[in-house]
Amino acid sequence: MREIRNVRIIRIVLVLLALSLANAHARQSSAPGATNAPAAAQVHALKVTVLSTMLVGETTGIGEWGFSALVEADGHRVLLDTGGHADTVLENARDLKIDLSDVQDVILTHNHWDHVSGLLTLRQEMMKKNPAALSRVYVARGIFYSRPSPEGENNPMIALKKEYEATGGKFIELDKASEIFPGAWLTGPVPRKYPERNWSSTGKVETPAGLVEDTIPEDQSLVLNTPQGLVVITGCGHAGIVNILTFAREQFPNEPVQAVIGGLHLFPATDQQLDWTADKLKDFKVQNLLGAHCTGIEAVYHIRERLALPRSSAVVGSVGSSFVLGEGIHPGPLAK
């Protein structure tokens, strides 16, 4: 009888241990940064508004070679890139009657001047109303690497870092895909599976491995997981939009792409390169394209035709253009 009782006690202990391990695993899986977290959280309300690009689609606003967009998702407000001149985004936001003073988070997609030049001005102006405004900036590993040139340092982020941090702001540097709020993920540096070479610079970058060709290794994009599919927002897409979507699919298997928004750096692409890109986009079931900044006007039209998208779903982005989940693209009169 004693042996039977001991066996029963052992069995009970094993069952309790198994339940304890299962609960611990469940808690770990739901923790921030858990590998299976992407499938759980979704963004249900989303609006993306372009604040800087070349084309002005309304009677207000300033066009420039640059990019910036305000992302509003489930109550979160994030500014992605800050334009090519110090005051463009500031003035365009005022013209569009958009208040940026309650935006705390900024995403910089890469180091180029046409995406980072407005950061300091915006921070200094908005903190007059709210000290926390634009006080946290997400960047990817490599954005502070030196870019030496015969004329001197060619990376504006090195000097900007010191000036920005002097205002009390801080940078958060990512080396992998990271969730910044539920359903919103930054890719961090994107693996270059396909040789898209979506950059025009011939410069060099000083990396831990030495001085090499500057492929803009820190290029990152924002991926929002919605019930209708992924919404991907790029700055220049220097990693290549196909590489970006391929990486996003690894994080969110089988999800269609509801929208691609931002610069894709396809303006110098040949017809053959555009055909290849569009054919790859078909595999991702891209439903909307708001191609701004360096995407190129002809490139947007070429891809639209190749994907057989309606005119309303593939648009050249302009200042004030927006994408609203459940509604689609609001292009503005000139870009319509």
Side-chain angles (χ1 to χ4, degrees):
M1 291 295 292
R2 184 177 299 170
E3 291 180 357
I4 294 174
R5 188 180 300 112
N6 289 340
V7 169
R8 286 177 178 173
I9 291 172
I10 291 172
R11 286 177 177 173
I12 291 171
V13 170
L14 289 175
V15 170
L16 291 174
L17 180 60
L19 289 173
S20 177
L21 290 173
N23 287 334
H25 178 70
R27 288 194 299 270
Q28 183 180 10
S29 297
S30 61
T35 56
N36 64 343
Q42 289 185 322
V43 168
H44 294 273
L46 173 64
K47 182 178 182 180
V48 182
T49 305
V50 176
L51 297 180
S52 168
T53 189
M54 284 73 136
L55 185 67
V56 178
E58 303 276 359
T59 55
T60 57
I62 303 168
E64 66 169 355
W65 184 279
F67 186 70
S68 178
L70 176 64
V71 181
E72 299 172 281
D74 288 348
H76 300 271
R77 303 181 84 223
V78 179
L79 186 66
L80 185 141
D81 288 341
T82 62
H85 292 81
D87 58 355
T88 301
V89 174
L90 181 65
E91 295 299 329
N92 284 345
R94 286 171 175 168
D95 284 347
L96 295 168
K97 295 179 171 54
I98 293 174
D99 185 3
L100 298 177
S101 65
D102 64 346
V103 176
Q104 181 176 6
D105 292 330
V106 181
I107 297 164
L108 294 183
T109 58
H110 60 295
N111 79 89
H112 288 166
W113 65 271
D114 48 333
H115 297 258
V116 308
S117 293
L119 177 62
L120 192 60
T121 297
L122 287 164
R123 166 70 175 150
Q124 291 172 334
E125 188 65 24
M126 293 300 113
M127 68 187 295
K128 294 175 183 177
K129 184 176 180 180
N130 175 16
L134 309 175
S135 60
R136 183 167 53 203
V137 182
Y138 291 92
V139 298
R141 182 189 59 215
I143 197 169
F144 299 118
Y145 288 169
S146 174
R147 269 78 177 187
S149 74
E151 293 76 31
E153 180 57 58
N154 201 31
N155 182 358
M157 286 302 300
I158 294 176
L160 182 58
K161 182 177 189 292
K162 183 177 180 180
E163 293 177 288
Y164 175 77
E165 289 178 337
T167 71
K170 67 176 182 177
F171 289 97
I172 298 174
E173 192 168 351
L174 307 175
D175 61 2
K176 61 182 178 181
S178 302
E179 187 176 41
I180 59 172
F181 60 82
W185 287 75
L186 282 173
T187 62
V190 174
R192 312 291 174 94
K193 179 178 180 180
Y194 298 99
E196 293 182 82
R197 293 193 63 83
N198 280 19
W199 61 88
S200 54
S201 173
T202 57
K204 300 290 185 180
V205 56
E206 190 68 58
T207 72
L211 191 65
V212 298
E213 180 187 7
D214 189 2
T215 63
I216 307 97
E218 77 275 12
D219 185 76
Q220 65 174 346
S221 298
L222 176 62
V223 180
L224 299 129
N225 183 27
T226 83
Q228 297 178 25
L230 304 180
V231 175
V232 179
I233 309 173
T234 65
C236 267
H238 286 302
I241 186 57
V242 177
N243 285 325
I244 293 166
L245 295 183
T246 299
F247 185 60
R249 174 169 281 179
E250 292 175 1
Q251 311 300 311
F252 301 91
N254 304 318
E255 287 291 337
V257 176
Q258 174 61 209
V260 173
I261 301 167
L264 306 184
H265 212 270
L266 292 172
F267 73 93
T270 65
D271 286 349
Q272 291 74 24
Q273 290 171 319
L274 292 174
D275 286 344
W276 178 88
T277 301
D279 290 344
K280 288 291 185 183
L281 294 183
K282 291 178 184 177
D283 297 337
F284 295 99
K285 300 181 174 63
V286 174
Q287 297 300 305
N288 292 278
L289 171 63
L290 184 57
H293 186 34
C294 55
T295 305
I297 296 172
E298 176 57 31
V300 172
Y301 296 152
H302 192 111
I303 291 173
R304 180 169 76 188
E305 181 178 1
R306 190 83 172 184
L307 292 182
L309 290 174
R311 178 172 173 174
S312 60
S313 296
V315 175
V316 176
S318 62
V319 174
S321 291
S322 65
F323 171 83
V324 179
L325 188 66
E327 298 178 13
I329 297 172
H330 299 268
L334 183 64
K336 186 174 290 183

